[in-house]
Amino acid sequence: MINEKNWVPWTINICLVVFVIALLYNESSFKDKREIEKVYRAYIEDFIENDFEGIASYFEPPVNFKNFGIIAKDKLQVILVYKDIKDNIQAGYAYSNVDSLKIIKKEDFYIADVIYSRFNLNDENLFTGNTLYEFKKTNDGWKMVSLEGITDFES
């Protein structure tokens, strides 16, 4: 029972418990963000290499390609969307760089806010873009379930 004589120790204990809970929550969030960044960077490598099976492995259908108005119901449809993207990419495209990667926790998912640049073999910038990727935890780890290109952004 809290009374005039022991309220200070009780207050300290309660503050300590709240601090530990916040610390544990923050550590979990940090770990999730590291894992998501690792998945995203592997996805970019497969994108550069035109490994469409690899690209599809980072998604959990149904996948909402918001800018195209397409919901890919399975991995084959994800592959077809990416083949179309690569068929229509900037002429001379050779590779991409991630300029900025911010991972933001939402309720039960994360958003990766990515600014990237595309280059040709002469290292000339062909395009700079901003895309938001939604990641959800699955039995197979973190997977993307939607993406949306942002047209109004500052690089």
Side-chain angles (χ1 to χ4, degrees), residues 117-129:
S117 296
R118 294 178 179 159
F119 295 89
N120 63 19
L121 288 173
N122 296 324
D123 299 323
E124 297 166 329
N125 187 316
L126 302 173
F127 176 79
T128 298

Side-chain angles (χ1 to χ4, degrees), residues 41-125:
R41 292 194 183 276
Y43 152 79
I44 287 298
E45 289 302 314
D46 285 345
F47 183 87
I48 293 167
E49 297 297 322
N50 292 325
D51 180 353
F52 297 107
E53 290 284 335
I55 291 169
S57 74
Y58 301 108
F59 288 90
E60 180 70 22
V63 178
N64 189 351
F65 292 91
K66 293 180 180 182
N67 296 94
F68 301 119
I70 296 171
I71 297 177
K73 294 180 179 19
D74 57 33
K75 297 222 185 232
L76 177 59
Q77 288 182 345
V78 172
I79 289 170
L80 294 174
V81 169
Y82 270 91
K83 284 185 176 184
D84 186 56
I85 289 170
K86 291 301 283 264
D87 284 345
N88 293 291
I89 204 163
Q90 293 77 20
Y93 171 80
Y95 67 95
S96 301
N97 276 345
V98 176
D99 302 324
S100 169
L101 174 58
K102 297 176 193 163
I103 301 171
I104 303 137
K105 178 149 178 58
K106 296 297 184 178
E107 291 179 20
D108 63 340
F109 62 95
Y110 285 86
I111 298 289
D113 183 349
V114 182
I115 297 176
Y116 57 92
S117 296
R118 294 178 179 159
F119 295 89
N120 63 19
L121 288 173
N122 296 324
D123 299 323
E124 297 166 329
N125 187 316

